Amino acid sequence: MEWISGVAGGLLLAVMFFSVLRTLVVPRGLYSILVFRLWWLLRRLLRLGAPRGGYEAIDRAQTWLAPLILIGMLATWLGGALVGYGLLLHAVSELDWSDSFREAGSSLLTLGFAGGARLRLSVLDFVAAATGPVLIALQIAYLPTLYAAYNRRELEVTLLQSRAGEPAWGPEILARQWLVDTETALPELYRAWERLASDMGESHSTYPVLIAFRSPRPYRHWLVGLVAVMDAAAMQLALTPRTAPPEARLVLRAGFTALRDIARALRIPFDPDPAPDTPVQLGYVEFDAAVAMLEAAGFSAERTTAEAWPHFHGWRVNYEAIAYELCRRCDAVPALWTGPRDFASTPVPPRRPADRRPGEGRPGQQGPSRGSGP
């Protein structure tokens, strides 16, 4: 019985330490069973708190997901260490089960209120005493890295709001620039999101819990913003191939590369080299309506809608399936062109501010207003 207890304790500690290394130490997008099992369980428990409340209720509930995952990770590691050391102490001593776990807990949390009667237990006591503070210190050091990446991400997501509305939508980005004559600012936007996409591909695959961190506003979401920027770039390349900025191609490449890195970390299957004519869920009718909206805003296309559709389709096939699956798993705001959700929802279009300039009214600019800016 003591031999079985010792082997079980050693294996449990090895699994626990390996999980800590994979999650907190190794700088690579390695799959962590603990993180994703906690994510799966807590997401479903939080959903029970908003069974019929609509998206805003879902968003309020899921705001707690990331903090609970972090607390659950630490609690699971400390609990695993407690059980592992308790089993080892029972195996190498004459302590009964209650005294073994009491001494393991005392050493692990460095409380020092219990001690074994045998000298050979001191080694295990010392190792256990080092384990607790090291785990807590690693978790504390983990938080600044997470929140630094979160702040970088949310800064760009917030800046996108004035260009794309809430929730973000690719055609709306283009329409707003042509409505207010700021289309020359698009290359700068694409450059910023190219860098952000690369940053997110690295940080969100290395620290997957970042995917569960939500924006401060319910109708903003990092993934919806990324899809919107990529859709805007793909539409511009498809409709105006001669005048589209080269940054549009770069942000598309960076965007779907980042999504694939995240998909690998989450073990989401995808086709790494899809054919341009692979079916996509977005239909030609939706694309045609978006092009008509752009033309009403003053956008001048070099290709007809029918000519541009295969090119847009060829770009979107690289990222649509992964983006839709991630949006579903993240319970992201149900924005246009971002796929279905696990809860009942209707796609939410962005609201465009009304034209407040005196004596002028431009086609396509009027709409429901959340503010008074142009």
Side-chain angles (χ1 to χ4, degrees), residues 82-338:
L82 173 63
V83 174
Y85 284 119
L87 291 171
L88 284 177
L89 285 168
H90 180 73
V92 301
S93 71
E94 298 178 355
L95 297 175
D96 60 22
W97 287 107
S98 62
D99 288 338
S100 297
F101 285 105
R102 180 170 175 266
E103 181 164 341
S106 170
S107 300
L108 185 67
L109 301 177
T110 65
L111 299 176
F113 64 82
R118 296 185 178 182
L119 181 63
R120 63 182 179 179
L121 299 184
S122 297
V123 174
L124 281 175
D125 288 339
F126 291 156
V127 175
T131 300
V134 167
L135 283 177
I136 295 171
L138 284 173
Q139 184 81 333
I140 292 173
Y142 182 58
L143 294 180
T145 302
L146 291 181
Y147 282 99
Y150 173 79
N151 288 336
R152 291 194 304 270
R153 185 188 82 186
E154 292 306 314
L155 174 62
E156 294 297 335
V157 173
T158 302
L159 289 172
L160 185 65
Q161 185 271 336
S162 63
R163 299 173 184 248
E166 290 184 2
W169 182 40
E172 182 72 8
I173 295 176
L174 298 179
R176 289 197 182 199
Q177 308 320 301
W178 262 263
L179 282 168
V180 295
D181 301 319
T182 57
E183 62 270 17
T184 55
L186 282 170
E188 181 183 354
L189 174 70
Y190 294 150
R191 282 193 295 269
W193 277 82
E194 178 194 2
R195 181 173 294 275
L196 179 63
S198 300
D199 187 346
M200 291 192 297
E202 186 275 329
S203 60
H204 289 52
S205 60
T206 304
Y207 307 112
V209 70
L210 275 168
I211 300 170
F213 277 85
R214 304 183 77 85
S215 295
R217 295 278 294 270
Y219 287 92
R220 295 177 191 166
H221 196 277
W222 65 272
L223 186 54
V224 170
L226 179 59
V227 173
V229 172
M230 295 172 71
D231 282 340
M235 287 194 75
Q236 195 170 8
L237 287 168
L239 291 166
T240 58
R242 289 192 296 274
T243 58
E247 289 84 356
R249 289 180 177 272
L250 297 177
V251 74
L252 276 165
R253 183 70 186 181
F256 68 70
T257 298
L259 290 177
R260 290 176 180 182
D261 288 342
I262 296 171
R264 290 188 186 96
L266 272 62
R267 295 188 177 178
I268 297 175
F270 64 90
D271 185 353
D273 187 23
D277 57 352
T278 300
V280 295
Q281 294 188 43
L282 184 72
Y284 175 79
V285 173
E286 297 169 278
F287 179 74
D288 182 53
V291 173
M293 184 270 290
L294 287 179
E295 291 175 345
F299 184 92
S300 180
E302 299 168 5
R303 287 177 173 147
T304 65
T305 305
E307 292 171 340
W309 168 248
H311 298 274
F312 177 77
H313 181 284
W315 281 113
R316 204 167 205 268
V317 75
N318 291 287
Y319 59 89
E320 186 191 78
I322 299 174
Y324 280 16
E325 177 62 16
L326 286 174
C327 284
R328 184 190 66 81
R329 294 192 185 192
C330 293
D331 294 314
V333 53
L336 296 172
W337 294 15
T338 59

